[in-house]
Amino acid sequence: MMLKWVQDQPYFTRNDGWDHFLTMGRISWDFRRSKDEDWGSSCIHKPGMRNITRLLIERNPWDYFDVGVPYPTGFHPRSDNDVVQWQDFVRNRSRKSLFCFAGAKRSKIKNDFRGLLLSHCRNESDSCRVVDCAGSKCSNGTSIILETFLDSVFCLQPRGDSFTRRSIFDCMIAGAIPVLFWKRSAYDQYEWFLPAEPESYSVFIDRNAVKNGTTSVRKVLERYGEDEITRMRERVIEYIPKFLYARPDEGLQTIKDAFDVAIDGVLGRFKEQEQPGYRW
């Protein structure tokens, strides 16, 4: 009903939806149902959706109209000063653990990688801090996850139930450097919000090498010197405002948050599409 109404509007028919965008509060795959018995809905495949830019917390990397935006975190600043004070706080934080992992294993999944990382962390307890999120331990507003990220130099970020994970943004807002094992967890997702050079703010480790024992997460991370770590952390801290959604009743004064970045990106995309030969 909504799409039919939109298609009848003169603003929509003027450009057949090319200058429209839609915010969708879940991952792209929840809107791509091909059969009635599949999970989610078939919204993206319906008439009228073809040319609309879609803002989602996880995009399909092969769909031009999907744009990945950061997962909302628990920090919604009220002013520029809130952001600057937080950046200073995480910059000067004393970090006792080399790395950490917060998550739960998937017992029903064969060769579960998250379970492997939990075991690895427990075996390296002098360097790694673990938060086992089995059951509902991590869904009740507990501060232990934030404290763990604040106390760690690196944070391990495997994929979640899908390729992305809110924890990636929780980790970076705490000033920790994310360690990724799937490129689609961040590098192919948040082009407008993350640095173009992945190595400037994160570490990528081949998960298959970890699985077969030819690579040790701890040994990889121990190769990074203090100067390199400082540069990477500073890059993460520089980008923190792009991950935040400010309080809507006040917003920020001069700093652009994730909402501003998304709107600027959408408007820039519309200008690109006005170029001759751009649309198909």
Side-chain angles (χ1 to χ4, degrees), residues 25-45 161-162:
R26 298 181 65 88
I27 65 174
S28 182
W29 317 105
D30 286 351
F31 303 103
R32 295 177 177 274
R33 185 175 67 195
S34 56
K35 301 186 295 291
D36 286 343
E37 60 268 23
D38 285 347
W39 170 263
S41 77
S42 57
C43 179
I44 284 176
H45 301 308
D161 293 327
S162 60

Side-chain angles (χ1 to χ4, degrees), residues 97-133:
S97 300
L98 177 63
F99 62 108
C100 67
F101 176 60
K105 63 182 179 180
R106 299 291 191 266
S107 55
K108 295 182 179 180
I109 298 178
K110 186 178 180 182
N111 300 321
D112 172 42
F113 189 68
R114 291 159 66 115
L116 180 66
L117 291 182
L118 275 171
S119 298
H120 182 75
C121 253
R122 289 193 174 106
N123 292 336
E124 304 286 356
S125 57
D126 58 329
S127 296
C128 184
R129 183 168 170 173
V130 177
V131 179
D132 188 344
C133 291

Side-chain angles (χ1 to χ4, degrees), residues 37-248:
E37 60 268 23
D38 285 347
W39 170 263
S41 77
S42 57
C43 179
I44 284 176
H45 301 308
K46 290 186 179 297
M49 284 292 289
R50 178 66 185 90
N51 302 324
I52 297 176
T53 292
R54 304 176 289 264
L55 306 182
L56 308 113
I57 52 176
E58 178 175 318
R59 67 184 288 260
N60 174 357
W62 298 281
D63 190 330
Y64 164 81
F65 295 96
D66 275 9
V67 174
V69 298
Y71 280 74
T73 67
F75 181 27
H76 304 288
R78 298 159 298 179
S79 65
D80 287 8
N81 192 48
D82 280 355
V83 178
V84 173
Q85 282 191 346
W86 181 258
Q87 287 175 305
D88 288 341
F89 172 69
V90 298
R91 179 181 290 115
N92 297 313
R93 179 79 175 186
S94 176
R95 298 176 187 267
K96 302 170 186 175
S97 300
L98 177 63
F99 62 108
C100 67
F101 176 60
K105 63 182 179 180
R106 299 291 191 266
S107 55
K108 295 182 179 180
I109 298 178
K110 186 178 180 182
N111 300 321
D112 172 42
F113 189 68
R114 291 159 66 115
L116 180 66
L117 291 182
L118 275 171
S119 298
H120 182 75
C121 253
R122 289 193 174 106
N123 292 336
E124 304 286 356
S125 57
D126 58 329
S127 296
C128 184
R129 183 168 170 173
V130 177
V131 179
D132 188 344
C133 291
S136 59
K137 294 178 184 175
C138 298
S139 60
N140 61 357
T142 177
S143 62
I144 190 170
I145 295 178
L146 176 60
E147 291 170 358
T148 298
F149 290 153
L150 285 170
D151 287 342
S152 303
V153 177
F154 298 97
C155 53
L156 307 187
Q157 295 295 339
R159 58 173 288 171
D161 293 327
S162 60
F163 282 100
T164 59
R165 198 169 180 241
R166 169 187 155 170
S167 180
I168 294 173
F169 294 100
D170 290 333
C171 144
M172 288 192 287
I173 281 177
I177 299 164
V179 180
L180 303 171
F181 304 89
W182 277 264
K183 292 184 178 180
R184 283 174 63 183
S185 292
Y187 305 151
D188 298 334
Q189 290 292 334
Y190 308 105
E191 178 184 356
W192 297 349
F193 304 89
L194 293 174
E197 314 80 18
E199 66 281 357
S200 70
Y201 72 93
S202 67
V203 175
F204 183 79
I205 300 178
D206 181 358
R207 64 185 177 279
N208 293 316
V210 175
K211 286 180 179 179
N212 63 29
T214 58
T215 292
S216 161
V217 172
R218 176 176 179 171
K219 288 181 179 178
V220 170
L221 299 181
E222 284 179 336
R223 296 185 195 130
Y224 288 86
E226 283 298 320
D227 290 344
E228 197 168 7
I229 288 172
T230 299
R231 283 196 301 272
M232 294 170 75
R233 182 184 302 127
E234 196 57 40
R235 192 68 162 156
V236 169
I237 293 171
E238 175 191 347
Y239 272 71
I240 283 178
K242 294 175 181 284
F243 313 147
L244 301 174
Y245 295 89
R247 287 174 60 94

